[in-house]
Amino acid sequence: MVGAGAKKTTNGSPEVVKSGSGSSTMLKLKLKLKTKQQELLLRVSILCLVYVLAFITRLFSVLRYESMIHEFDPYFNYRTTLYLTEKGFYEFWNWFDSDSWYPLGRIIGGTLYPGLMVTAAIIYWLLRLLSFAVHIREVCVLTAPFFASNTTIVAYFFGKEIWDSGAGLVAAALIAICPGYISRSVAGSYDNEGVAIFALLFTFYLFVKAVNTGSLAWALASAFGYFYMVSAWGGYVFIINLIPLYVLVLLVTGRYSMRLYVAYNSMYVVGMLLAMQIRFVGFQHVQSGEHMAAMGVFFLMQVFYLLDWVKYLLSDTKLFQAFLRITVTTALAVGAIALGLGTASGYISPWTGRFYSLLDPTYAKDHIPIIASVSEHQPTAWSSFMFDFHILLFLFPAGLYFCFKRLSDATIFIVMYGLTSMYFAGVMVRLILVATPAVCLISAIAVSATIKNLTLVARAKNNNKVAHSGSLKGSTSSSKASSKASLDQSQPFQRNGAIALLLGAFYLLSKYATHCTWVTSEAYSSPSIVLAARGAHGNRVIFDDYREAYFWLRQNTPPDAKVMSWWDYGYQITAMGNRTVIVDNNTWNNTHIATVGRAMSSYEDEAYEIMRSLDVDYVLVVFGGVTGYSSDDINKFLWMVRIGGGVFPIIKEPDYLVNGEYRVDKGAAPKMLNCLMYKLSYYRFGELTTEYGKPPGYDRARGVEIGNKDIKLEYLEEAFTTSNWIVRIYKVKPPNNRW
Amino acid sequence: MRSKSESQTLSNSTSNAAAAAMDSASSADPIHHLLRLVAFNSFLLRPPKLRLKLPTLTLPSSMTVYALVLLTYFLVVSGFVYDVIVEPPGIGSVQDPATGSVRPVVFLQGRVNGQYIIEGLSSGFMFILGGLGIVLLDLGLDRNRARSVKVSYASAGISSVIIAYVMIIGILAINFLGNANLRKKILY
């Protein structure tokens, strides 16, 4: 063994240990890797497992139902990606779509964020190049899980940058299964956020690396990362406000350095120029109020640089103090005047409603009902936080403590990212997604630091001689810990205590993993277009009514037919039904939506006038009274009234309520019982018995018997009702011949 | 204060060069010339004498900032914004159908994203308790303190974490998982 001991540390290749007897030489083939190589193997294998885990945990709905696109917005993205792969980039970039928002049309090339579509198309073309004959739909369905796996890798490097590689590994593992991220990146959810979170984290990582190293290459890489983010999602405004805020905090705490100067300036200038290449963003970086913070900090950095240079040149401190005071006041005055002039003249547009409602959450409720009506835009209750984060909510304050204990440029960044994103997550449920990487990273720091402390105690050597052993890497506390732990009777107690706590920590983390998988399986893997319920005998019943209705539309209506429905279903109708719609989920024209809302809430004859003026051929409503489906148009009806009433004062919400209460039974308001939406939803429903023991016309979603059972339609006729009555399509009759 | 020390050493080592640069007109930089005219001229550079004294602002210590941050986190996670906008009641009430008396209900039933004010605040408090427990545990493992202090910190930390975790999991299990089978999966 002496010979083997001498050879052990020279190289890491497998070697045969020579022992006394020759016959057992072959059996003693040992792989003697150095500790560094062992660590590398461990890290790489953990990252590979995490990568695979992040992908497969998002595949629940593909395995349960089929590989299809979920929800509403992804259908638009799928349709545009299809167009891109069929017609090419030039046609896509200059596309004017006359199939939606009839008769206005929509300039698709100029009003979308192309990052997601271009990414999916590139993956599709790459696979085609390698002779994999995939359909673009499969690529679209699996894009989000693929990018989620890439996000875990970026999270590893980011964690390594902020704290150390252990924290990086924990961060990658946490973010792979965190429900807050899974909810928007499950397979089939082909939406901007799936790619955007990867771009967000990637940009932040590159920027922090640039600030830490001061290298121009990293700064330019972060500018390109920012460009990718701008092309992918409207939430890039978060980056362009967080990074200047971070720079400001660094300046205030006296951490100005040449590295920061190089990093921020290169990133801002090149990033801004690249961002202007996206037509949808245009010149907003110099014209919009939301982007002015970045410009202000840019000029502030120049002032700091000037002051630093003058200080270096001057040897007289009193003169420099005077110069400092004058320069700072002048700079602030000039900045304030410029901002004032820009805002007053209207060149700098004020904050748009979407982002202003993040700063002042009560704004949307009073002024913009269409923003307030989206269910994802509601403020967050604690149960949603718990659902999406589980034990990370405990680890987040602890991680913040560790960051504050060891302040550096990188930890200040992650603290700021965490706090701002948690605030926004509190304002809007949808933004929990943006907070997830920060929460995972900070929690990873807490986990890593705590476990490191505990393992130090657990591995402390008993004897005093090994005070300075280098066996515990990377911590100066190792020697001190082992020298302090010299009391023999407390040694085993401390070690046992530490081991018990380690087991407790692993138990908590395993509960986290269980919770995440359960949440993913039960809550976040439903395609929304296909509904599932438990039948009477516990078997699963699937309602595929939406796709049935859209397919009927596609096959049984003339190709130039125009369909009027509430804006929720617009994207799906154009993508699957291939028919022109009046309004869709883009919601860019509030008056047009209000017109549709007015039509839905008026009496049939007034509604017929509006429908004739819009050339409507078919009307589509969603009705949940037979199945008990609660997201139907009758439950959304009050929003139609509010939005319609916001533009046409003739529609008044109190007309449809009884004593402030919304009812559909006998005691409902007369206007409610005779409006178009009521008639279209409950036509022939009064004859149907939905539940055993209840009278005919019992609405299972509202739990009441409807008030007006004898409905006669004068200007419309029923065209199609799906098998579970969820989607109902009506044909608008042409006007009578007057003779 | 890295930047300040950098510039100090720079200025100390190259002050001769700086003086030389100042004196000679060999610099081709127009801004340098402008600065020499405007800034280095002590005659021109006299700020107005103001009566008011601006208060000197010192940056708070990092632990003060941490305490403020914890307070903000507590408010956000308790659903404070939800309380301000939706204005739910402090605590819910349900009427007992048999006796007719009104019973308080702490947790909102039937909706996913909803809460009463008190349930939000108490859950937020549990999260802070758990987080502080881990912090106390780290303080308890710190090497520079007396042993009794370390032990008390560590035990307080561990008990806080356990209490907070058990409370939150208990709340989840009882109130949000209607299904009995699921309850068994989540509890312990």
Side-chain angles (χ1 to χ4, degrees), chain B:
Chain B
M1 303 289 165
R2 207 172 302 142
S3 66
K4 300 227 164 62
S5 60
E6 272 174 6
S7 50
Q8 282 292 357
T9 49
L10 268 169
S11 60
N12 284 339
S13 60
T14 56
S15 54
N16 301 328
M22 262 179 59
D23 294 339
S24 71
S26 58
S27 166
D29 192 355
I31 300 188
H32 188 167
H33 286 289
L34 187 65
L35 269 181
R36 276 202 305 141
L37 278 173
V38 170
F40 301 166
N41 198 342
S42 59
F43 173 67
L44 206 58
L45 214 59
R46 210 170 294 158
K49 291 205 197 310
L50 297 170
R51 291 285 169 111
L52 47 88
K53 279 189 178 298
L54 290 167
T56 47
L57 300 161
T58 50
L59 288 176
S61 81
S62 56
M63 283 306 147
T64 323
V65 179
Y66 177 63
L68 285 172
V69 159
L70 268 193
L71 187 66
T72 318
Y73 177 71
F74 169 66
L75 286 177
V76 166
V77 143
S78 321
F80 186 66
V81 182
Y82 180 90
D83 294 338
V84 165
I85 294 184
V86 177
E87 291 171 18
I91 196 163
S93 56
V94 78
Q95 197 170 32
D96 193 18
T99 60
S101 62
V102 177
R103 267 189 302 123
V105 165
V106 182
F107 298 98
L108 185 68
Q109 310 285 343
R111 272 175 59 185
V112 177
N113 188 33
Q115 64 174 40
Y116 295 123
I117 299 183
I118 295 206
E119 76 170 278
L121 290 173
S122 56
S123 310
F125 175 68
M126 283 301 139
F127 295 134
I128 295 284
L129 190 65
L132 284 178
I134 302 183
V135 170
L136 285 174
L137 188 63
D138 174 69
L139 285 176
L141 291 172
D142 188 16
R143 56 222 179 267
N144 289 329
R145 294 175 203 265
R147 213 184 139 257
S148 58
V149 175
K150 274 173 66 173
V151 167
S152 55
Y153 273 159
S155 47
I158 297 169
S159 48
S160 308
V161 174
I162 293 179
I163 290 175
Y165 179 71
V166 167
M167 293 287 295
I168 288 289
I169 294 300
I171 292 172
L172 261 192
I174 294 171
N175 289 290
F176 292 104
L177 309 175
N179 198 337
N181 295 329
L182 294 171
R183 215 179 291 161
K184 283 204 201 84
K185 251 199 246 173
I186 294 294
L187 261 182
Y188 298 102

Side-chain angles (χ1 to χ4, degrees), chain A residues 457-520:
Chain A
V457 174
R459 293 178 62 179
K461 300 279 188 226
N462 271 332
N463 41 1
N464 303 332
K465 287 186 293 186
V466 237
H468 295 288
S469 69
S471 61
L472 301 168
K473 283 199 182 356
S475 52
T476 53
S477 63
S478 64
S479 49
K480 289 192 188 163
S482 46
S483 58
K484 282 274 180 180
S486 51
L487 297 134
D488 275 335
Q489 71 260 29
S490 68
Q491 248 333 81
F493 175 72
Q494 272 193 346
R495 281 194 67 211
N496 291 339
I499 291 177
L501 285 178
L502 273 177
L503 288 175
F506 293 145
Y507 169 76
L508 278 183
L509 289 172
S510 69
K511 293 308 288 180
Y512 169 71
T514 316
H515 169 88
C516 291
T517 318
W518 177 80
V519 165
T520 311

Side-chain angles (χ1 to χ4, degrees), chain A residues 325-524:
Chain A
R325 233 174 279 157
I326 289 192
T327 315
V328 170
T329 29
T330 321
L332 286 175
V334 165
I337 290 175
L339 192 65
L341 272 178
T343 320
S345 70
Y347 183 73
I348 298 182
S349 58
W351 283 59
T352 56
R354 270 175 68 197
F355 294 114
Y356 187 70
S357 63
L358 286 179
L359 293 182
D360 177 13
T362 57
Y363 177 74
K365 185 166 80 150
D366 300 332
H367 298 266
I368 316 175
I370 210 170
I371 293 182
S373 73
V374 184
S375 66
E376 301 175 307
H377 291 182
Q378 305 307 314
T380 325
W382 81 271
S383 48
S384 299
F385 275 123
M386 186 64 193
F387 220 55
D388 281 341
F389 287 136
H390 205 244
I391 61 165
L392 299 187
L393 288 175
F394 294 110
L395 297 171
F396 185 73
L400 286 178
Y401 163 75
F402 284 109
C403 287
F404 273 98
K405 220 168 85 156
R406 193 166 103 182
L407 274 183
S408 69
D409 290 351
T411 50
I412 291 183
F413 178 78
I414 198 66
V415 166
M416 292 201 58
Y417 176 26
L419 290 175
T420 47
S421 60
M422 276 303 269
Y423 167 68
F424 290 129
V427 173
M428 208 187 262
V429 178
R430 183 182 179 187
L431 294 179
I432 285 187
L433 170 75
V434 177
T436 303
V439 170
C440 286
L441 278 165
I442 296 183
S443 312
I445 292 179
V447 169
S448 178
T450 309
I451 289 191
K452 205 170 227 177
N453 282 346
L454 290 175
T455 46
L456 281 178
V457 174
R459 293 178 62 179
K461 300 279 188 226
N462 271 332
N463 41 1
N464 303 332
K465 287 186 293 186
V466 237
H468 295 288
S469 69
S471 61
L472 301 168
K473 283 199 182 356
S475 52
T476 53
S477 63
S478 64
S479 49
K480 289 192 188 163
S482 46
S483 58
K484 282 274 180 180
S486 51
L487 297 134
D488 275 335
Q489 71 260 29
S490 68
Q491 248 333 81
F493 175 72
Q494 272 193 346
R495 281 194 67 211
N496 291 339
I499 291 177
L501 285 178
L502 273 177
L503 288 175
F506 293 145
Y507 169 76
L508 278 183
L509 289 172
S510 69
K511 293 308 288 180
Y512 169 71
T514 316
H515 169 88
C516 291
T517 318
W518 177 80
V519 165
T520 311
S521 160
E522 296 297 315
Y524 289 142

Side-chain angles (χ1 to χ4, degrees), chain A residues 509-577:
Chain A
L509 289 172
S510 69
K511 293 308 288 180
Y512 169 71
T514 316
H515 169 88
C516 291
T517 318
W518 177 80
V519 165
T520 311
S521 160
E522 296 297 315
Y524 289 142
S525 296
S526 95
S528 296
I529 193 167
V530 169
L531 311 164
R534 296 245 163 249
H537 307 287
N539 57 323
R540 205 159 57 161
V541 180
I542 301 221
F543 300 124
D544 207 359
D545 286 43
Y546 281 102
R547 295 197 291 174
E548 185 187 341
Y550 300 139
F551 200 57
W552 183 91
L553 263 184
R554 195 190 189 108
Q555 300 234 313
N556 295 296
T557 57
D560 62 349
K562 315 213 183 1
V563 180
M564 180 172 94
S565 70
W566 193 233
W567 58 263
D568 290 13
Y569 316 108
Y571 281 155
Q572 288 180 339
I573 295 176
T574 21
M576 280 191 276

